[in-house]
Amino acid sequence: MSAHGRLVRMSRALACACIVVTWAGSPTAFAHTSPGSFAEQLDVLTRDGYEHPEASLAALAELERSPAHASVEQRRQLLQAIGTVEAAAGMTTRVQTSAERLRQLSADDSSGRTQASLDLVQARAAEAAGQSDVASSLAQHALDAMQPACRDASQQTGIAADCDYRAVWMLLGLLERRASAQGVPATANRHAHAAWRLAEAAGDA
């Protein structure tokens, strides 16, 4: 890992630690102390959700209540983050509710990105439930919809504004795990390399 990559990950770890400490006193402060852009806030909260799902979900719910995050794209990102945390935590009923909300929102999104987010959330839930075939199929559908916006990403040009690289990275990781489990190292390596190149283009490698 590059020095820059280590610095980024250390910064995120410190941010998550600060957020968790703040959460003990106030859920409002937990949401408002997340650093960076809206997407970066969601990334920190999603990562923190693996260890502290309830705290992370409370903060995400507060972000969702803000009128500043009312666009279809912001709601998609929020519901994707919420569903991802719920899926990882095994919150079956709650993730089904988030999936249904994404399904309803997809009617207002002709780009297909919200449907892809729905597939991503359901893929993560299926993987957590041990349904690997279902998970990989859903992940591939989501990747087919999301990856084209990221195809021109590079260290020189960065990533396009409509490239949800964190979602694509997550999908590639799921497909890599599936290929590894099936004993197909060439496919696993292809997914891993694509994920690494995308993170590198985003300055997150």
Side-chain angles (χ1 to χ4, degrees), residues 131-162:
Q131 300 172 338
S132 299
D133 288 342
V134 174
S136 60
S137 177
L138 287 165
Q140 188 62 60
H141 287 158
L143 187 66
D144 290 344
M146 288 187 165
Q147 196 171 34
C150 304
R151 288 200 188 280
D152 295 329
S154 69
Q155 273 189 300
Q156 291 72 35
T157 62
I159 59 172
D162 60 345

Side-chain angles (χ1 to χ4, degrees), residues 77-194:
Q77 292 181 56
L78 272 163
L79 287 171
Q80 178 178 278
I82 291 168
T84 297
V85 172
E86 291 169 339
M91 300 176 176
T92 305
T93 301
R94 291 172 69 170
V95 77
Q96 288 175 347
T97 299
S98 294
E100 181 56 34
R101 294 179 65 199
L102 278 166
R103 185 176 289 107
Q104 293 172 2
L105 183 62
S106 67
D108 299 323
D109 181 11
S110 59
S111 73
R113 288 162 66 84
T114 303
Q115 178 61 47
S117 291
L118 169 60
D119 290 339
L120 184 158
V121 167
Q122 291 183 316
R124 293 302 302 269
E127 183 182 38
Q131 300 172 338
S132 299
D133 288 342
V134 174
S136 60
S137 177
L138 287 165
Q140 188 62 60
H141 287 158
L143 187 66
D144 290 344
M146 288 187 165
Q147 196 171 34
C150 304
R151 288 200 188 280
D152 295 329
S154 69
Q155 273 189 300
Q156 291 72 35
T157 62
I159 59 172
D162 60 345
C163 168
D164 188 346
Y165 85 89
R166 293 179 177 92
V168 172
W169 183 88
M170 194 182 304
L171 292 163
L172 287 167
L174 190 155
L175 292 170
E176 179 198 355
R177 291 190 293 275
R178 178 57 174 160
S180 295
Q182 290 180 312
V184 190
T187 300
N189 289 339
R190 176 167 54 83
H191 291 315
H193 184 64

Side-chain angles (χ1 to χ4, degrees), residues 34-97:
S34 300
S37 69
F38 178 65
E40 288 168 342
Q41 290 182 56
L42 296 184
D43 183 47
V44 169
L45 292 172
T46 301
R47 291 172 184 265
D48 186 63
Y50 288 102
E51 294 295 330
H52 309 279
E54 291 292 354
S56 182
L57 289 169
L60 287 166
E62 181 166 346
L63 285 175
E64 189 179 15
R65 286 192 292 271
S66 170
H69 307 135
S71 72
V72 171
E73 174 61 13
Q74 288 171 319
R75 289 163 63 199
R76 177 194 73 79
Q77 292 181 56
L78 272 163
L79 287 171
Q80 178 178 278
I82 291 168
T84 297
V85 172
E86 291 169 339
M91 300 176 176
T92 305
T93 301
R94 291 172 69 170
V95 77
Q96 288 175 347
T97 299

